[in-house]
Amino acid sequence: MTDLVSVSRTDLAQRRQLLRRQRRWRFLRSLWRTGLVVGMAGGLVWVTTQPVWILHRVDQVTVEGNELLSVDAIHSLLPITYPQSLLHLDPNAIADYLEAQGPIEEATVTRRLLPPGLNVQLQERRPVAVLIRGNASASPDLRVEAAATDSDPMAHVGLIDEKGFWMSLSAYVALDDSLSLPELKVRGMQEHQRSQWSQLYQVLYQSPLSIYEVDWRDPSNLVLSTELGMVHFGPYSDRFPYQLQVLDQLRTLPQHIDIGNLDYIDLRNPESPLLQELGIVPSSLPPVEVLPQENNSPEPN
């Protein structure tokens, strides 16, 4: 009985020592892990505050994909104040801000660690026409017109891309004064006609005719200013491509009449075109045979 008690007490003492050692090791491991986490956090804070991770200058931001806007123009749009911690910047917020600007359709912004900086990848909106609304007169110098529209809220002169997206002319010119402006002008197009504009522009772009202006102020009569003079098409419809092909077949008119005396060409009925000469009763032309056309024109950018 005495031996059993002795062995039991010895065993219990050894177990208590083992438990004390285990608790000591667990405490040391916990302390080591806590120290490691604190050290890493402190190291991260130290690293992020080092000058190497700070954007000091705008030339640390590289820009790619821009064809119309200069790099300096893109830099001027960036919502960044310098110096700025690289790791504190939000690339998605910067991209959203750039996309809110008229000339930029899509932007992707990523951090660059070596060397530290930002990469900006862009897809620009390419203006294809000058859109004239309200009281705007569209003077030959559109840059002067852009400044004038700022003081007259009823006069709107802007730029549109092939999808009909509106861009402020004054903001566009101010962004980069060296930008060339589209030669095509559009008058009176409304917001609900944007989808029609996309289709109409595709047809105009592929036409061999020189077209200078689209007048959409009267929805019942689309009027184009062309190399043959003014042309009335009636309401825009899905037969507009055919009407434009008929007009192309009339390109020999200057060989037969004085275009200077021509008021307009009436193509509302493309099977029976009419010529309205100044001060003369409209005269009809023989039926026009529309020849098939080879479309070798590239797609709009």
Side-chain angles (χ1 to χ4, degrees):
M1 186 69 179
T2 303
D3 292 340
L4 290 176
V5 172
S6 177
V7 171
S8 178
R9 288 177 177 175
T10 303
D11 185 51
L12 289 175
Q14 291 176 347
R15 288 185 180 182
R16 282 195 293 270
Q17 290 177 358
L18 178 61
L19 290 174
R20 282 195 295 268
R21 284 196 298 267
Q22 288 177 344
R23 283 196 297 269
R24 189 181 304 116
W25 278 111
R26 281 198 296 269
F27 174 75
L28 291 174
R29 284 199 300 268
S30 177
L31 185 63
W32 178 82
R33 289 172 181 169
T34 303
L36 179 62
V37 171
V38 172
M40 291 179 62
L44 182 59
V45 172
W46 179 81
V47 166
T48 58
T49 57
Q50 295 306 297
V52 71
W53 303 111
I54 302 294
L55 289 181
H56 293 281
R57 305 175 309 277
V58 70
D59 59 10
Q60 290 177 265
V61 181
T62 61
V63 179
E64 298 177 348
N66 58 309
E67 297 179 1
L68 301 176
L69 300 174
S70 67
V71 172
D72 289 341
I74 302 300
H75 283 163
S76 69
L77 291 176
L78 293 171
I80 300 175
T81 56
Y82 302 91
Q84 179 72 264
S85 171
L86 178 63
L87 300 183
H88 290 170
L89 291 174
D90 184 349
N92 292 331
I94 296 174
D96 291 342
Y97 182 85
L98 290 175
E99 289 175 2
Q101 311 305 309
I104 299 176
E105 182 174 4
E106 185 176 351
T108 302
V109 180
T110 55
R111 295 188 186 95
R112 186 182 64 248
L113 298 180
L114 292 175
L118 286 179
N119 294 327
V120 179
Q121 182 72 37
L122 299 175
Q123 181 179 338
E124 297 169 315
R125 295 188 187 277
R126 184 179 296 274
V128 298
V130 177
L131 179 58
I132 305 164
R133 293 173 175 167
N135 300 329
S137 60
S139 63
D141 190 345
L142 287 172
R143 299 177 192 275
V144 174
E145 185 69 36
T149 58
D150 288 341
S151 59
D152 183 0
M154 296 301 294
H156 301 293
V157 178
L159 304 171
I160 53 174
D161 64 5
E162 62 182 80
K163 298 177 183 178
F165 185 90
W166 167 273
M167 291 169 272
S168 167
L169 177 59
S170 58
Y172 192 80
V173 170
L175 194 59
D176 192 338
D177 190 55
S178 65
L179 290 170
S180 59
L181 300 178
E183 296 182 359
L184 179 64
K185 296 181 178 63
V186 180
R187 291 182 180 272
M189 189 185 81
Q190 301 301 315
E191 181 65 23
H192 67 274
Q193 295 170 314
R194 282 180 60 180
S195 60
Q196 293 180 324
W197 163 254
S198 299
Q199 302 165 1
L200 187 148
Y201 175 71
Q202 292 289 333
V203 178
L204 296 181
Y205 183 85
Q206 297 171 5
S207 173
L209 288 163
S210 295
I211 300 170
Y212 313 114
E213 184 175 300
V214 177
D215 191 337
W216 223 337
R217 287 176 291 183
D218 181 1
S220 65
N221 186 23
L222 177 68
V223 179
L224 299 188
S225 174
T226 75
E227 62 183 85
L228 298 178
M230 304 299 292
V231 185
H232 293 197
F233 289 85
Y236 176 76
S237 67
D238 55 7
R239 68 174 184 170
F240 177 72
Y242 173 72
Q243 291 172 296
L244 209 57
Q245 290 182 40
V246 171
L247 182 62
D248 183 44
Q249 302 302 317
L250 299 177
R251 295 174 73 179
T252 59
L253 273 179
Q255 301 175 12
H256 307 287
I257 65 171
D258 183 0
I259 293 295
N261 292 328
L262 187 64
D263 191 5
Y264 63 86
I265 301 173
D266 191 337
L267 282 179
R268 281 173 281 199
N269 180 5
E271 281 75 23
S272 181
L274 295 175
L275 297 183
Q276 176 62 64
E277 297 185 67
L278 295 172
I280 301 178
V281 176
S283 59
S284 60
L285 291 169
V288 177
E289 179 183 0
V290 178
L291 303 176
Q293 295 181 337
E294 292 185 4
N295 182 13
N296 298 320
S297 301
E299 290 297 320
N301 293 327

